[in-house]
């Protein structure tokens, strides 16, 4: 071996002896010894990190696409069996449109939550893998994450409970924005539904904030259709059969009017005597209407019934004797 060959061998990286290594391949291609010696740090690790990021973004894209297809299929589902009989009325289309709109809103909310969870999981795994490629010790990080998770589990139980309950409310479509609900302590129109709290406004304009984890029961007055029940008190000596017929006639006349044809979903039913007390007899009438117009229908029916009762001479129960004087007996 000549002196020139000996000097050339000394300047070559040691890894060249194994032609299968990245160092040897880089040296063969570039002939630069420092680039070959640092090939792992300058080429291999960045390539691995890039591969991890590409796989993470592809996985995230595929998961988001699958979730979007699932939610789109849910949003365009069929009409519930309970609402199918309503197709025989003109307002059935409105009710079905309301149900479809609610289903679309719920699907979008569920899809947003699922996409956020998928992104968090995929990117979290990708960050851990990248940190491992950079040579960082993951044991302290994993241990710290475990300690933080335990601390949050004990210190934020109510917060976690509220979030889980909020997801359940959205998934089950218990109520949505615009619904009139009774949550027990508060009732009114829902203005916002979040994962942690629900905001609603009552008839007096007071805004209530209810934690989702504290909602034990929900009375929703706005889903699908509403059953309007009218109770009219009459005197004991009233011809009850005649009174029932009059109530049926008033309701049928309203049902036949074009103005109310898109609001009343089924023929009214005059049920007759509902209750007999010492004060009088309660006659009941019920009619099915759209949920948004139930209060307007009830007010209109009461007004028409009262006017017809006055025309027919149907009397209301007289006030009980002594009912209005009891409050004055406390003065010596």
């Amino acid at each position: 071996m000549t002196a020139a060959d000996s000097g050339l061998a000394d300047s070559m990286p040691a890894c060249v002896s194994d032609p299968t290594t990245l160092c040897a391949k880089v040296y063969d291609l570039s002939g630069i010894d420092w680039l070959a010696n640092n090939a792992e740090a300058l080429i291999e690790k960045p390539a691995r990190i890039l591969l991890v990021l590409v796989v993470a973004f592809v996985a995230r894209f595929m998961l988001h696409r699958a979730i979007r297809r699932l939610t789109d299929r849910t949003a365009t589902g069929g009409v519930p069996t309970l609402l199918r009989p309503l197709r025989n009325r003109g307002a059935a289309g409105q009710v079905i449109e309301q149900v479809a709109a609610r289903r679309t809103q719920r699907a979008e909310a569920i899809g947003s939550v699922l996409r956020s969870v998928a992104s968090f999981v995929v990117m979290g795994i990708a960050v851990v893998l990248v940190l491992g490629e950079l040579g960082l010790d993951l044991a302290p990080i994993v241990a710290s994450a475990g300690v933080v998770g335990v601390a949050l589990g004990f210190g934020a139980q109510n917060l976690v409970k509220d979030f889980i309950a909020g997801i359940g409310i959205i998934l089950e479509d218990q109520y949505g924005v615009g619904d009139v609900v009774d949550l027990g302590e508060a009732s009114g129109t829902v203005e916002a539904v979040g994962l942690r709290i629900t905001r609603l406004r009552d008839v007096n304009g007071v805004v209530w904030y209810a934690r989702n984890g504290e909602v034990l029961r929900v009375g929703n007055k706005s889903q699908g259709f509403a059953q309007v029940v009218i109770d009219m008190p009459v005197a004991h000596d009233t011809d009850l059969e005649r009174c029932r017929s009059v109530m049926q006639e008033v309701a049928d006349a309203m049902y036949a009017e074009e103005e109310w044809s898109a609001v009343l979903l089924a023929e009214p039913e005059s049920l007759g005597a509902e209750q007999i007390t010492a004060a009088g007899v309660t006659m009941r009438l019920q009619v099915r209407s759209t949920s948004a117009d139930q209060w307007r229908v009830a007010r209109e029916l009461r007004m028409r019934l009262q006017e017809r009762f006055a025309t027919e001479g149907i009397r209301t129960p007289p006030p009980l004797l002594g009912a209005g004087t009891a409050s004055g007996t406390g003065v010596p």
Side-chain angles (χ1 to χ4, degrees), residues 11 53 58 81 148 191 201 210 296:
S11 63
L53 294 178
V58 170
T81 305
V148 172
E191 292 188 342
R201 189 182 298 271
R296 186 164 66 98

Side-chain angles (χ1 to χ4, degrees), residues 65-123:
R65 184 178 180 182
I67 293 171
R68 191 171 292 106
R69 286 186 176 181
L70 177 62
T71 53
D72 290 344
R73 187 179 305 172
T74 303
T76 57
V79 179
T81 305
L82 181 63
L83 298 180
R84 288 174 186 169
L86 300 181
R87 292 178 181 271
N88 59 356
R89 288 289 290 170
Q94 297 180 2
V95 176
I96 294 173
E97 288 178 3
Q98 293 175 2
V99 174
R102 290 178 60 86
R103 185 189 292 114
T104 301
Q105 294 174 0
R106 188 174 75 254
E108 290 177 354
I110 295 172
S112 176
V113 173
L114 292 178
R115 286 193 295 270
S116 298
V117 172
S119 297
F120 178 79
V121 173
V122 171
M123 292 306 172

Side-chain angles (χ1 to χ4, degrees), residues 49-62 122 126 129:
I49 293 175
L50 181 61
L51 178 62
V52 169
L53 294 178
V54 170
V55 171
F57 280 107
V58 170
R60 178 177 175 272
F61 172 78
M62 297 301 294
V122 171
L129 294 177

Side-chain angles (χ1 to χ4, degrees), residues 279-295:
V281 181
T282 302
M283 303 293 290
R284 173 163 292 185
L285 171 72
Q286 70 177 23
V287 60
R288 181 177 298 180
S289 73
T290 58
S291 58
D293 298 287
Q294 54 182 305
W295 297 279

Side-chain angles (χ1 to χ4, degrees), residues 278-279 317-330:
L320 295 177
L321 296 177
T325 60
S327 60
T329 58

Side-chain angles (χ1 to χ4, degrees), residues 38-233:
N38 297 280
E40 181 179 359
L42 297 177
I43 300 177
E44 184 176 3
K45 285 187 177 181
R48 289 181 179 178
I49 293 175
L50 181 61
L51 178 62
V52 169
L53 294 178
V54 170
V55 171
F57 280 107
V58 170
R60 178 177 175 272
F61 172 78
M62 297 301 294
L63 288 174
H64 282 201
R65 184 178 180 182
I67 293 171
R68 191 171 292 106
R69 286 186 176 181
L70 177 62
T71 53
D72 290 344
R73 187 179 305 172
T74 303
T76 57
V79 179
T81 305
L82 181 63
L83 298 180
R84 288 174 186 169
L86 300 181
R87 292 178 181 271
N88 59 356
R89 288 289 290 170
Q94 297 180 2
V95 176
I96 294 173
E97 288 178 3
Q98 293 175 2
V99 174
R102 290 178 60 86
R103 185 189 292 114
T104 301
Q105 294 174 0
R106 188 174 75 254
E108 290 177 354
I110 295 172
S112 176
V113 173
L114 292 178
R115 286 193 295 270
S116 298
V117 172
S119 297
F120 178 79
V121 173
V122 171
M123 292 306 172
I125 295 175
V127 168
V128 172
L129 294 177
V130 169
L131 293 178
E133 290 295 333
L134 294 176
L136 297 179
D137 188 4
L138 299 180
I141 299 177
V142 174
S144 301
V147 173
V148 172
V150 172
L152 289 177
F154 282 102
Q157 295 183 32
N158 290 332
L159 184 62
V160 175
K161 179 181 177 182
D162 294 339
F163 273 97
I164 294 176
I167 294 174
I169 290 172
I170 295 175
L171 287 174
E172 298 168 3
D173 191 26
Q174 297 179 14
Y175 52 81
V177 176
D179 286 348
V180 179
V181 299
D182 181 0
L183 302 183
E185 293 294 332
S187 61
T189 303
V190 178
E191 292 188 342
V193 180
L195 292 180
R196 193 177 70 86
I197 63 172
T198 295
R199 187 179 77 240
L200 64 157
R201 189 182 298 271
D202 63 15
V203 293
N204 298 318
V206 180
V207 177
W208 294 83
Y209 295 88
R211 287 173 42 201
N212 293 332
E214 298 296 325
V215 177
L216 301 180
R217 63 175 181 84
V218 179
N220 195 327
K221 303 177 182 179
S222 304
Q223 279 189 343
F225 61 88
Q227 197 79 5
V228 178
V229 179
I230 305 295
D231 288 334
M232 297 294 292

